[in-house]
Every structure is written in structure tokens, then in C-alpha cells.
Amino acid sequence: MATLLHLDSSLFPAGASASRAVTDAFRQAWEAQHPQGTVIYRDLSADPVPHLDGLAASAAFVDPSAHTPEQAAAFAERMKLVTELEQADAVLIGAPMYNFTIPSTLKAWIDQVAVMGRTAGPDSTVKGLPITVVASRGGAYGPGTPREPFEYVQNFLAAILSEMMGAEVDFIVPELTLAASNPAMAELIPLAEASREKALADAAAKGKSLAAQVTSAA
């Protein structure tokens, strides 16, 4: 049976979060296609993982037999997250844009699971792993927009998940999510609604197709 690792990082609950609505559409389609599968869910906002500290970081470069008790304990917690990632057949990440980049809770998870010589580097254990990222944002940051230079969500995640860790990363981007609540963006509401509907449809289609893909390969 295939396993989906689903991470949400929005500060806002379901019903008030654009990224959670889209990840939910993906997950529902995945589960409908593969009801016997396993979904491992982490709400990084409600239950954040620890930020990487010196003990866990240094332990990655020391033979386990030489770990201090403190390094061993910190590294064991890190390895739980790494193993969870390695055992997934697909990963779904909700990554809203906060202050031009990803939430710090998602950055903490990435710092924990990106281990050079294991999940990162030329022989990455997660090479080829399909990762779908829902990169929601209040405005527009795509090519040709005035704020294109401030886009540090897709650029960062593509660099670390794809280039560094070797995963197959696909982005779904619901944008202009603040149009309905910001009077200055009122004229953009139709574009925002179209972006939302496209993101929901793309997520459902991606969830269905990935579930079929990984189960047929199993």
C-alpha cells in the first residue's frame, strides 16, 4: 500500500487557509483513488518540529558509535523525520508565503530532513520522490509581475527539494488570496477566484494521478 506524507504549515485553520483548502482537495482525491493507502499527517503549525540545533546537526557528521548521549538523542529524533520522508511514496506540502518566503515551521522541518550524504547529495535516498507543493500567496509574484524579485517560496523549495535532494517537485499556486479582504485589490477578485478554482482542480487531478501512479508501480 502506498503512503502519502502530508504537511500543512499555514497559521490559519481549515476554512480560513487557502493552502489547506488546496491540500485537502489533493488528499481527498488521493484517498478516493487509494482508500487502502496510508496518510501520515503533520500540522507543522499546531505541532511544530524542533528547530535544528547544534547537537543534531553535528551528529550527522560523526560516526554513531562516537555520539555523546546528547547527540544520540537529538539525532534519533531527526532520524524519525528522515525515515518518515524516505518511506513515503509521495509528499504533499502546504507552503503559504509569509513575508516573501515559507513559514519558519516548514523551514524547521526541511532543516531536520535535509541530511547531506543521506537525503541530500548525489546519492539522495529520496531521489525521484514526487513532492507536490501548494504555494499560496496573497498577491502575484509570477514572471513579469512587479514583485517577481520577491518570490522566495518556489525558488527556495525548488533549490533544496529538487536540486539538493533530487525529488520531483511540482507546484500548485493559488494566488491573490487577499483580494477578497483587501479593498485595494477588489478589482482582482475575479482573477483570485479563477486562480483558486484552478488550484483546486489541479490538486484534485494531481492527487488522483499520483495515487494511481504509485500504486501501479508498487
Side-chain angles (χ1 to χ4, degrees):
M1 293 187 292
T3 297
L4 173 68
L5 175 59
H6 174 187
L7 311 173
D8 277 324
S9 60
S10 172
L11 294 173
F12 302 103
S17 165
S19 64
R20 289 180 188 269
V22 178
T23 60
D24 185 61
F26 179 108
R27 179 170 169 174
Q28 286 188 38
W30 171 283
E31 292 179 324
Q33 181 73 26
H34 187 44
Q36 284 77 42
T38 299
V39 176
I40 298 172
Y41 180 62
R42 285 188 175 273
D43 187 332
L44 297 175
S45 178
D47 187 19
V49 303
H51 284 279
L52 186 65
D53 62 16
L55 285 171
S58 62
F61 300 97
V62 177
D63 188 279
S65 63
H67 282 172
T68 66
E70 294 79 12
Q71 281 181 317
F75 197 61
E77 290 302 312
R78 191 178 185 189
M79 288 302 100
K80 287 182 183 178
L81 297 172
V82 168
T83 301
E84 194 173 77
L85 175 64
E86 291 174 331
Q87 292 179 347
D89 296 287
V91 180
L92 171 64
I93 299 176
M97 177 185 281
Y98 294 155
N99 297 320
F100 307 125
T101 189
I102 63 174
S104 63
T105 52
L106 179 55
K107 178 62 164 57
W109 178 83
I110 290 172
D111 287 343
Q112 292 283 5
V113 301
V115 180
M116 190 59 63
R118 182 160 173 171
T119 58
D123 299 315
S124 168
T125 54
V126 296
K127 183 178 292 186
L129 177 66
I131 299 180
T132 303
V133 177
V134 177
S136 59
R137 64 275 315 275
Y141 294 81
T145 62
R147 288 202 163 187
E148 179 184 359
F150 296 92
E151 205 296 307
Y152 300 111
V153 173
Q154 287 177 261
N155 288 339
F156 168 72
L157 291 177
I160 194 161
L161 297 176
S162 179
E163 297 300 322
M164 183 176 172
M165 300 175 71
E168 297 291 335
V169 183
D170 184 40
F171 289 96
I172 298 174
V173 186
E175 60 181 8
L176 303 171
T177 62
L178 291 178
S181 60
N182 185 346
M185 298 174 66
E187 64 181 19
L188 299 174
I189 289 177
L191 291 176
E193 291 175 343
S195 178
R196 173 183 169 85
E197 291 307 311
K198 183 178 186 303
L200 290 169
D202 288 348
K206 186 70 174 179
K208 181 178 179 180
S209 65
L210 263 184
Q213 175 185 320
V214 299
T215 53
S216 64

